[in-house]
Amino acid sequence: MKKISFVIILSVLLCNLAWAQKKSAEPELDIDRVYNLYKDTSDIVIKTGGKEIKAKIKITMNAFDKPYSVIAYGEADADADEVLQKLKTELGVTKLQAGYKQSPGTFPVVFNPTGSYEHTVQISYFQKGTQSAKYGIQKIMYNDQEANGQKVARHVSDFFYFEVCDEGRRNAAKAEEKFVF
């Protein structure tokens, strides 16, 4: 009898251990990883290619107070264009290595972070299940007046938009609760 009890207790403990290991082995979603990095800040500095680029962080939560979108955005001087383009490419390569698939072409995203000026950015789109990543850079041009009276466009800065999102979490629905009155 003692041997049977010992075997049952040992089996239960081993099952619990296996379940705990399986639960801890589940990969963290990118949205949670990025959220945990930036949840306590609204401003960051991206150090890349010998440049320091200031960025704002915008986090959007769903109805259950879970993050479903983290956006890093900002404006960098025109001389940072090459560095930003390289960063965008590196971010995309990292997503491909993580099992994301890239959609062919680019897609417009309309983003109005402050409510004052709207940016339409052409983004590269990466998807893995319900998770997505969107990376885009928009050149900001300014028409200067030249001596001969002709207006010529001059590249003055770049607006960048980097987003990690989980569409499944965005649209999460809570199970119906029983009505109590």
Side-chain angles (χ1 to χ4, degrees):
M1 184 70 166
K2 286 183 179 182
K3 286 184 180 182
I4 293 174
S5 296
F6 176 74
V7 170
I8 291 172
I9 291 172
L10 184 60
S11 296
V12 169
L13 289 174
L14 289 174
C15 286
N16 284 337
L17 179 63
W19 181 77
Q21 285 178 340
K22 181 182 176 192
K23 188 173 182 178
S24 65
E26 291 177 8
E28 184 178 37
L29 293 175
D30 281 353
I31 187 68
D32 293 325
R33 181 182 52 78
V34 174
Y35 170 75
N36 286 328
L37 287 171
Y38 301 114
K39 66 184 176 187
D40 297 324
T41 187
S42 60
D43 298 294
I44 62 169
V45 175
I46 301 169
K47 296 179 182 182
T48 183
K51 303 271 184 195
E52 290 188 356
I53 301 167
K54 293 180 183 177
K56 298 271 188 201
I57 299 293
K58 180 180 186 328
I59 298 173
T60 309
M61 310 294 267
N62 68 12
F64 308 107
D65 207 30
K66 295 278 191 183
Y68 72 79
S69 172
V70 178
I71 301 170
Y73 68 95
E75 197 170 313
D77 292 335
D79 68 345
D81 182 60
E82 192 173 303
V83 172
L84 275 175
Q85 294 293 344
K86 183 177 179 191
L87 176 61
K88 177 184 166 202
T89 300
E90 289 170 355
L91 291 170
V93 167
T94 301
K95 289 300 178 201
L96 292 172
Q97 290 171 344
Y100 282 71
K101 302 291 184 218
Q102 183 174 6
S103 295
T106 60
F107 306 90
V109 168
V110 177
F111 184 63
N112 187 350
T114 62
S116 60
Y117 183 73
E118 184 175 273
H119 294 275
T120 301
V121 182
Q122 293 294 320
I123 55 104
S124 297
Y125 184 80
F126 301 84
Q127 186 171 11
K128 178 180 174 183
T130 61
Q131 299 180 88
S132 65
K134 304 168 188 168
Y135 304 129
I137 300 169
Q138 171 194 359
K139 290 184 185 303
I140 298 175
M141 308 300 279
Y142 184 75
N143 288 331
D144 284 333
Q145 192 77 22
E146 287 218 347
N148 62 4
Q150 297 289 329
K151 289 187 177 187
V152 177
R154 179 174 55 107
H155 178 203
V156 293
S157 61
D158 288 309
F159 178 81
F160 59 92
Y161 175 94
F162 304 142
E163 178 182 15
V164 173
C165 182
D166 188 329
E167 293 298 331
R169 188 173 283 173
R170 174 192 315 247
N171 302 320
K174 195 172 191 179
E176 277 193 47
E177 296 178 0
K178 184 177 179 181
F179 176 70
V180 178
F181 188 71

